[in-house]
Amino acid sequence: NFSLALKNIKNKKAENIDINNLAVWSSTGREINIFSNDSQTGEHTVGESADGRDGAFKVKTISIQDIFGKNNIAYCDLLKMDIEGAEYSALFSMPESSFKKIGNICMEYHIDIENKHNIEDLKNLLINNGFEIEIEKINNDTGLLSAFNKLK
């Protein structure tokens, strides 16, 4: 979480780090609810409303395209994502020009939290944008995906 990241940066005396308390999503500026999982894994989930659940907090969103623009990123050698099902929203909203800026993608994939896409859709999106895909399935709902941009 954000406070742990700040603590680690301070403890390690790390420099040249720009940290933002934002969730990667399809668009920038939306406010979403994040729910802590009761386990000790640090896992969180996203929902439209708190539905009486404890441990919920709100966070603003940002798109990958806007991260690139805000930080003047012309090329991203490695995009690493573990965003608990929001990877579909984040990637399917990206313009083709943003895919061209990425050399490699390593991510954990989950069930699409918006129930619009599945892993086959995600594979096809990446292949159609010039990536070669490798998948290691963890279970029926989760796996690891590596994508290598063949056009770079």
Side-chain angles (χ1 to χ4, degrees):
N1 68 23
F2 187 71
S3 58
L4 181 58
L6 290 174
K7 181 180 173 183
N8 286 337
I9 290 168
K10 182 180 178 183
N11 289 343
K12 301 292 182 185
K13 297 181 174 88
E15 297 178 0
N16 196 24
I17 295 174
D18 181 22
I19 185 168
N20 298 276
N21 194 12
L22 299 166
V24 176
W25 198 258
S26 59
S27 61
T28 297
R30 183 174 170 188
E31 191 170 80
I32 59 173
N33 292 297
I34 306 285
F35 305 97
S36 298
N37 187 320
D38 290 336
S39 70
Q40 295 298 314
T41 65
E43 180 180 319
H44 292 75
T45 56
V46 176
E48 291 295 326
S49 68
D51 296 330
R53 293 183 267 185
D54 292 332
F57 57 95
K58 292 186 180 299
V59 66
K60 294 269 187 191
T61 63
I62 189 166
S63 68
I64 294 171
Q65 179 182 4
D66 286 344
I67 292 171
F68 286 0
K70 176 184 173 195
N71 295 287
N72 299 313
I73 296 172
Y75 180 73
C76 173
D77 186 49
L78 174 64
L79 177 64
K80 194 268 186 204
M81 296 191 328
D82 183 3
I83 54 177
E84 305 303 324
E87 55 273 9
Y88 297 92
S89 174
L91 291 172
F92 275 92
S93 66
M94 279 178 40
E96 185 178 328
S97 60
S98 290
F99 284 104
K100 291 178 180 177
K101 294 179 179 183
I102 301 170
N104 303 281
I105 301 171
C106 292
M107 60 184 280
E108 185 175 81
Y109 69 85
H110 306 81
I111 294 175
D112 180 7
I113 59 177
E114 295 182 314
N115 295 313
K116 294 180 181 177
H117 301 285
N118 60 39
I119 187 59
E120 290 302 316
D121 297 334
L122 185 57
K123 282 172 46 178
N124 289 331
L125 173 72
L126 294 170
I127 289 167
N128 290 337
N129 279 283
F131 288 85
E132 183 177 311
I133 309 299
E134 292 179 11
I135 290 186
E136 181 182 331
K137 197 171 184 180
I138 295 173
N139 59 42
N140 287 338
D141 301 331
T142 309
L144 303 174
L145 183 148
S146 298
F148 311 96
N149 194 328
K150 298 183 299 186
L151 305 176
K152 290 290 172 193

